[in-house]
Amino acid sequence: MVYYYFVCQRKLYYFCKNLHMEQDDENVAIGKVLDETAYSHAEKHITVNNQISVDYIEKSRILHEVKKSRSIEEAGIWQLKYYLWYFKQRGVEHLTGKIDYPLLKHTESIALTKEDEAHLLNVMKEINAIQGMKTPPPRKTKKICKKCAYYDLCFI
Ligand code: SF4
C-alpha cells in the first residue's frame, strides 16, 4: 500500500477495494520473469507477519527490493523505507536497504532517517483515509497511466 500510495493514490484506492487487474498487465508479467531469474541464489519473498514481503535479505542485515526500472523510483524507495521502519518498530534495528535494478546493473542504497519516520507516519494516516473513501481520489494523468493495469477503468 505504501508503494501504491507513491505510485498513484487512485491505484491504491482500487487495490484497497480488492479491484485487482494486474494479472493481464504486460509490465507485471515482465516483473514476474525478472523475479524468477534475477538473484536466483537468494531466498526470495520473505513474508513477515503476513504484512510485508521483502524480496530478499542479505546476512549482513541488508533488505533488498528488486525493481525492473527506475520509472517510479520514489515509490520503491519509500516501500523499502517502510520495511526498515516496520522492523525497527518490532525491535530489529540497524538494518539498511538496497534497491536492485538488475536490468540496469545498478544498486541504490537506502537508509531510514528520523525525518523519513515522521513522513511515513503521515503517509500511513493518509493511506487509512484513502481506504475509507467511498469514491476514488480524482484521476491525475501521469506518465505511467498508459502502462497501468487500471488504465481502462480510469480512462475508458
Ligand atoms: S491509470 Fe493513471 S490515474 Fe488510473 S490508477 Fe493507473 S496510474 Fe492512477
Side-chain angles (χ1 to χ4, degrees):
M1 283 194 269
V2 170
Y3 182 78
Y4 279 175
Y5 174 87
F6 285 97
V7 171
C8 170
Q9 293 184 11
R10 194 169 164 104
K11 187 171 175 126
L12 169 64
Y13 173 88
Y14 290 144
F15 176 81
C16 291
K17 301 296 176 191
N18 288 321
L19 271 165
H20 303 295
M21 298 178 74
E22 305 278 19
Q23 302 87 298
D24 300 328
D25 185 66
E26 189 186 329
N27 284 311
V28 174
I30 294 168
K32 277 187 183 155
V33 171
L34 193 60
D35 180 57
E36 282 157 14
T37 52
Y39 311 105
S40 52
H41 60 282
E43 190 186 336
K44 290 189 274 187
H45 300 301
I46 297 139
T47 303
V48 182
N49 294 338
N50 263 340
Q51 289 178 318
I52 63 169
S53 174
V54 183
D55 279 350
Y56 71 97
I57 303 177
E58 261 184 64
K59 286 198 178 93
S60 45
R61 303 175 74 87
I62 303 174
L63 313 188
H64 285 259
E65 269 301 302
V66 180
K67 297 294 181 202
K68 183 167 60 68
S69 75
R70 301 179 77 158
S71 61
I72 31 182
E73 189 173 18
E74 188 194 16
I77 290 171
W78 282 105
Q79 178 187 8
L80 197 41
K81 283 179 187 276
Y82 174 74
Y83 291 168
L84 295 173
W85 177 87
Y86 182 94
F87 279 109
K88 190 174 174 188
Q89 296 311 300
R90 286 152 185 84
V92 186
E93 298 201 46
H94 311 300
L95 296 174
T96 56
K98 280 189 180 172
I99 302 183
D100 302 309
Y101 303 96
L103 295 180
L104 305 174
K105 300 194 186 322
H106 178 74
T107 296
E108 190 94 28
S109 293
I110 304 295
L112 181 72
T113 65
K114 287 272 167 222
E115 292 76 25
D116 294 336
E117 291 185 45
H119 186 51
L120 276 169
L121 289 177
N122 283 328
V123 166
M124 284 182 270
K125 274 187 206 153
E126 288 184 28
I127 288 174
N128 279 339
I130 291 168
Q131 272 184 305
M133 285 177 166
K134 291 213 163 79
T135 55
R139 187 183 72 197
K140 288 184 193 158
T141 306
K142 297 164 180 274
K143 254 166 114 179
I144 58 156
C145 286
K146 285 205 170 143
K147 291 183 176 173
C148 175
Y150 295 105
Y151 180 82
D152 288 358
L153 204 54
C154 286
F155 288 91
I156 295 180

